Amino acid sequence: MMWAGRVFRAALSGAPRCHRAQSALAQLRGILEEELEGIRGAGTWKSERVITSRQGPRIHVDGTSGGILNFCANNYLGLSSHPEVIQAGLQALEEFGAGLSSVRFICGTQSIHKDLEAKIARFHQREDAILYPSCFDANAGLFEALLTPEDAVLSDELNHASIIDGIRLCKAHKYRYRHLDMADLEAKLQEAQKHRLRLVATDGAFSMDGDIAPLQEICCLASQYGALVFVDECHATGFLGATGRGTDELLGVMDQVTIINSTLGKALGGASGGYTTGPGSLVSLLRQRARPYLFSNSLPPAVVGCASKALDLLMESNAIIQSMAAKTQRFRSKMEAAGFTISGANHPICPVMLGDARLASCMADDMLKRGIFVIGFSYPVVPKGKARIRVQISAVHSEEDIDRCVEAFVEVGRLHGALP
């Protein structure tokens, strides 16, 4: 009976706590539903379409019949489904296994990781390179490890979210200059002269607008004011510049950019993975202090194999780069002739500027009905009033694919009043 009494009293004492927990959960659900309803009401809800095939210029999408032309992947060179890239991934999987079950410094470094890092450094003409699970992680790891409260970082206001988040993690003094505004950058550099190190941080190509950083002017100002230059090349590596080295090659400043971060998940195979490349001593420091490197599992061997083969193909020939540039120009010129406003210049990111979030979403849905996969972008991914459909050209699109996409845009644009 004494035991039964203890159980009864415990049940009674637990009841209020259980009730409070349920009440807190109900409160949380109410807050979340209100927030989600606000997103729906603003027309900025982001639905995820399900692809049931491999990535490529033509894909299969759940809920649709037949093949769909894909115009919104970062598959710039079409290498994500290249047979040699896939075979290299299979070979690495067979030889080195599915994964390392470890971080790099414990027991997660294989010979293929070191080989790929050396290949990346050679490709960018830098001293060394370090791999990360993603370029988001590379940006998260760099600034905190490199910069101290004695230093300063100067960042373009439209830099990628991963750069912004990475800068937030460091204790350096933070300056933000107006987008591509060199007069404002110079003013900020003058103000930052009192700090030990000064690092100018910019995207090479800005992914939402397709515009390119004026690296010649940035490097000139950096030299004048004793600053270093960091460039995120995720939307440039593999296809900008004569041999695809990126915006620093395109603009002739490869010897003036100190640090490059980029990705393996776009042009270089399209899987995942990122890296930092630059001075050997910096890479050594990152191996000791970069938290995303120290506390994340090693890149899977199949990903490493695919990326390594993608680099090989790129370094063998620049024919793919030239093909993509010609198709980009074809799309841009035809869309502008039809009356659309296309942001950026000469970049395969071709934002079709629409302004209204709901219009962008509805037009993207109607494009899918016509066999074209594109996505509307709106706040908070882009500023309010700057909604667009971001079209991305791939080297493996045919000219007929380009023309069909333009024709669908014209038809849908007229349907929704975006064109007369």
Side-chain angles (χ1 to χ4, degrees):
M1 290 295 293
M2 291 179 61
W3 176 82
R6 287 197 298 270
V7 171
F8 180 70
R9 287 194 297 274
L12 286 178
S13 64
R17 277 182 283 181
C18 181
H19 176 73
R20 287 195 297 270
Q22 290 174 346
S23 177
L25 178 58
Q27 181 186 21
L28 173 63
R29 291 186 190 277
I31 292 170
L32 295 178
E33 285 303 322
E34 183 179 351
E35 192 73 20
L36 293 172
E37 189 55 41
I39 297 172
R40 294 187 190 98
T44 58
W45 184 268
K46 298 162 195 66
S47 299
E48 294 183 1
R49 297 169 178 170
V50 178
I51 299 172
T52 59
S53 63
R54 64 175 60 183
Q55 184 63 273
R58 292 170 183 79
I59 55 177
H60 291 280
V61 179
D62 190 33
T64 66
S65 58
I68 303 294
L69 281 175
N70 186 8
F71 275 92
C72 66
N74 297 314
N75 188 24
Y76 295 111
L77 300 178
L79 297 180
S80 62
S81 296
H82 192 287
E84 292 185 48
V85 172
I86 293 173
Q87 184 57 42
L90 290 172
Q91 183 176 338
L93 180 66
E94 179 67 30
E95 184 174 351
F96 291 96
L100 276 297
S101 307
S102 178
V103 299
R104 286 283 299 269
F105 82 95
I106 297 178
C107 64
T109 297
Q110 291 177 317
S111 57
I112 53 173
H113 294 104
K114 300 302 293 183
D115 292 344
L116 179 56
E117 286 169 336
K119 189 176 294 187
I120 287 169
R122 289 197 306 273
F123 178 74
H124 285 285
Q125 299 177 21
R126 298 307 196 275
E127 293 177 9
D128 202 356
I130 177 174
L131 290 169
Y132 289 90
S134 70
C135 190
F136 206 111
D137 286 322
N139 285 337
L142 174 68
F143 302 100
E144 184 181 23
L146 174 62
L147 301 176
T148 74
E150 298 180 65
D151 306 317
V153 57
L154 304 94
S155 175
D156 187 292
E157 65 179 349
L158 294 188
N159 275 340
H160 191 269
S162 60
I163 300 175
I164 295 170
D165 286 359
I167 288 173
R168 285 173 176 163
L169 292 171
C170 77
K171 293 182 172 63
H173 295 265
K174 301 167 181 68
Y175 298 83
R176 187 174 67 171
Y177 63 92
R178 290 188 294 272
H179 183 49
L180 308 183
D181 188 330
M182 295 299 96
D184 193 37
L185 173 58
E186 183 170 17
K188 298 295 193 300
L189 279 167
Q190 291 171 346
E191 188 179 346
Q193 286 301 290
K194 56 183 175 285
H195 303 298
R196 184 187 66 164
L197 290 179
R198 293 159 297 282
L199 178 68
V200 180
T202 182
D203 277 316
F206 291 83
S207 62
M208 287 300 110
D209 294 300
D211 48 10
I212 296 171
L215 288 186
Q216 291 176 332
E217 292 87 346
I218 288 173
C219 289
C220 182
L221 285 172
S223 176
Q224 182 179 346
Y225 290 98
L228 305 169
V229 177
F230 159 85
V231 183
D232 181 306
E233 289 284 66
C234 285
H235 290 276
T237 297
F239 55 93
L240 288 188
T243 61
R245 264 62 178 180
T247 53
D248 60 343
E249 181 186 48
L250 177 72
L251 299 174
V253 291
M254 289 186 73
D255 61 337
Q256 299 174 55
V257 173
T258 310
I259 307 164
I260 287 175
N261 278 7
S262 195
T263 182
L264 307 174
K266 293 182 172 61
L268 301 182
S272 63
Y275 58 86
T276 296
T277 185
S281 54
L282 169 64
V283 170
S284 294
L285 180 69
L286 293 174
R287 294 193 195 279
Q288 302 303 311
R289 290 187 179 170
R291 291 166 68 84
Y293 179 82
L294 291 171
F295 298 103
S296 296
N297 261 23
S298 310
L299 268 184
V303 172
V304 176
C306 288
S308 185
K309 175 53 70 173
L311 274 172
D312 290 341
L313 294 172
L314 184 58
M315 289 189 283
E316 287 171 7
S317 170
N318 66 351
I320 307 176
I321 301 169
Q322 294 172 344
S323 171
M324 189 205 62
K327 289 162 186 173
T328 296
Q329 181 57 36
R330 185 182 187 92
F331 178 82
R332 284 181 170 271
S333 61
K334 283 180 173 287
M335 287 290 284
E336 289 170 352
F340 286 104
T341 298
I342 310 298
S343 180
N346 301 322
H347 195 284
I349 292 174
C350 303
V352 182
M353 303 304 294
L354 298 169
D356 181 76
R358 198 177 301 278
L359 173 63
S361 178
C362 291
M363 282 185 59
D365 288 342
D366 281 347
M367 289 288 286
L368 184 61
K369 294 174 184 176
R370 288 159 177 80
I372 308 293
F373 192 120
V374 289
I375 295 292
F377 284 67
S378 56
Y379 181 83
V381 179
V382 296
K384 290 181 179 179
K386 298 286 187 180
R388 78 284 305 269
I389 292 175
R390 189 180 72 172
V391 176
Q392 291 175 260
I393 307 301
S394 172
V396 288
H397 284 129
S398 68
E399 292 185 353
E400 291 75 17
D401 295 338
I402 302 289
D403 294 346
R404 182 178 162 196
C405 183
V406 173
E407 289 166 5
F409 261 111
V410 170
E411 182 181 344
V412 171
R414 288 173 179 163
L415 178 67
H416 289 272
L419 288 181

